[in-house]
Amino acid sequence: RPRRWRSSEVRGVGIGPLAAAAGCDLLDGKAIGGQIREELHQVVQRTRKELDLTPGLAVILVGDRKDSATYVSMKQKACDACNITSMGVKLAADVPQDEVMRLLKSFNDDDNVHGILVQLPLPPHLDEAEILSAISPEKDVDGLHPINVARLADMQTRPSDSPKDSASNARGVASELLGQLAGSYDFLVPCTPAGCVELLDRSGITIAGSRAVVIGRSNIVGMPVSLLLTRRDSTVTLTHSRTPAPVLRDALAAADIVVVAVGRAGFLKGEWIKPGATVIDVGINAIADETKKSGRRLVGDADFESCSEAAGLITPVPGGVGPMTIAMLLRNTVIAALRSYIAAADAVAVVKE
């Protein structure tokens, strides 16, 4: 459930006392993400014990970007906490394209690898589209393969497997767990958009019948989150950097849910949004702050002080969407492992017939 800001929490994320005075409720991605990770830990305990199945995630890091290395380390630690096997490969910044492609093929062919993640961004000499397309769609835990993107856009997509087997047999156990985790999706959903929607669901926010505005049209966040909200019967307005200011503000004035992901610190202003709206801030930007030891602090794409006065609910930065993204990555890895197990069981059954 959303909880009220305390002044100590506000200071802890680098926000002044204004937010506490405004009384805006916090959508605590760190707490909800932790709950999901604990649930996944319990699921993995069952897959290991009842199916002899340990989900495995391969992560490829290219180059020496400190932020990318930090994200990869966080993902690997999260895997360890859930008993998911993580395999990390670090490649030089000048690695040739064909070497990356060979590595991806080896992971695609490895039955112990259920999920593959290539940490973005990649060095400019690498063809990102070709690399992402080389990942098996069944192992594409980032949900960025063109086939998974197309499935997301197909509003008629239905579950590929339903828990109709007896839970007393192994395939039945796998099918039951898959139904619990994957819901109505028969493909892997992009992690950050899935995390945004999960955050809304677990915070009791009604999506069906709502009006939503998504600011940003990237393939990683803006486009897929608009499709996910549409699938959930929200009426979505997708805006971007070329949307005229009056059009954007008119849309925001009527929006119950606002997802902002434009990569501009403090872009969304509180006076633009509908009073009581829910604001999901996907942005993460470093700005100068002489009071910090590092000389900088992290802020989102929403101007927190003004938005917290108008919004009913808002995500902090950090501690909002970020932990949810990692939780969804873990969930996708477990889903991919379960689908692989079911496919193998079905293949054996066909041979026996």
Side-chain angles (χ1 to χ4, degrees):
R1 297 174 56 185
R3 56 189 178 86
R4 190 70 60 178
W5 285 101
R6 296 195 298 269
S7 58
S8 59
E9 293 172 326
V10 173
R11 288 193 297 270
V13 294
I15 308 294
L18 180 61
C24 183
D25 280 337
L26 169 69
L27 288 174
D28 193 339
K30 185 175 182 180
I32 294 174
Q35 178 185 357
I36 294 169
R37 286 161 62 167
E38 177 56 33
E39 292 168 4
L40 290 171
H41 181 263
Q42 299 300 321
V43 170
V44 173
Q45 283 188 316
R46 286 193 65 186
T47 67
R48 288 161 62 104
K49 180 180 179 180
E50 301 177 42
L51 308 177
D52 193 25
L53 171 66
T54 300
L57 174 66
V59 181
I60 299 174
L61 173 64
V62 182
D64 300 308
R65 285 180 59 116
K66 290 184 178 180
D67 56 346
S68 292
T70 298
Y71 295 146
V72 167
S73 176
M74 292 168 61
K75 292 167 184 175
Q76 291 178 324
K77 288 179 181 178
C79 283
D80 292 343
C82 291
N83 286 331
I84 294 172
T85 300
S86 63
M87 295 150 271
V89 177
K90 186 178 184 302
L91 302 175
D94 60 353
V95 63
Q97 181 90 7
D98 59 354
E99 184 174 334
V100 179
M101 300 297 281
R102 283 195 298 270
L103 180 59
L104 287 174
K105 185 179 185 307
S106 71
F107 284 143
N108 282 336
D109 295 339
D110 189 339
D111 291 339
N112 293 315
V113 174
H114 305 105
I116 302 171
L117 182 146
V118 177
Q119 183 65 41
L120 302 177
L122 293 170
H125 74 281
L126 294 176
D127 187 333
E128 180 179 298
E130 183 183 19
I131 287 172
L132 295 179
S133 297
I135 301 171
S136 167
E138 293 75 22
K139 297 188 178 188
D140 169 38
V141 288
D142 249 349
L144 299 178
H145 191 284
I147 289 178
N148 286 328
V149 173
R151 288 173 176 168
L152 177 59
D154 177 8
M155 296 297 160
Q156 300 304 313
T157 302
R158 294 292 181 266
S160 59
D161 187 79
S162 56
K164 53 192 173 185
D165 298 277
S166 169
S168 63
N169 63 59
R171 191 195 185 285
V173 170
S175 185
E176 172 199 349
L177 294 174
L178 178 60
Q180 293 173 6
L181 296 178
S184 63
Y185 302 122
D186 63 348
F187 56 93
L188 294 171
V189 180
C191 298
T192 298
C196 293
V197 174
E198 189 78 15
L199 191 56
L200 292 170
D201 282 338
R202 294 197 180 224
S203 300
I205 308 303
T206 300
I207 298 175
S210 68
R211 292 186 179 185
V213 169
V214 176
I215 308 176
R217 56 180 169 181
S218 73
N219 291 333
I220 295 176
V221 180
M223 290 295 290
V225 79
S226 68
L227 291 169
L228 283 174
L229 291 170
T230 300
R231 278 174 164 265
R232 296 290 300 278
D233 299 324
S234 176
T235 299
V236 181
T237 300
L238 177 61
T239 66
H240 46 77
S241 60
R242 298 298 180 92
T243 302
V247 175
L248 172 61
R249 296 185 189 185
D250 284 349
L252 288 169
D256 306 297
I257 298 169
V258 179
V259 181
V260 56
V262 290
R264 299 182 188 177
F267 172 81
L268 179 67
K269 308 303 181 185
E271 57 266 28
W272 300 351
I273 64 177
K274 175 182 175 181
T278 297
V279 176
I280 305 294
D281 190 349
V282 183
I284 183 163
N285 312 279
I287 64 171
D289 187 341
E290 295 180 356
T291 68
K292 300 294 181 182
K293 185 177 180 180
S294 64
R296 63 179 190 170
R297 63 184 172 95
L298 297 178
V299 299
D301 289 350
D303 177 62
F304 191 90
E305 291 192 358
S306 64
C307 286
S308 63
E309 288 190 311
L313 299 162
I314 192 169
T315 56
V317 176
V321 174
M324 296 298 297
T325 298
I326 293 178
M328 295 299 100
L329 171 66
L330 301 178
R331 187 169 74 177
N332 275 354
T333 302
V334 177
I335 288 171
L338 290 167
R339 287 191 178 133
S340 174
Y341 183 94
I342 290 170
D346 289 348
V348 169
V350 169
V351 171
K352 288 181 177 179
E353 291 176 359

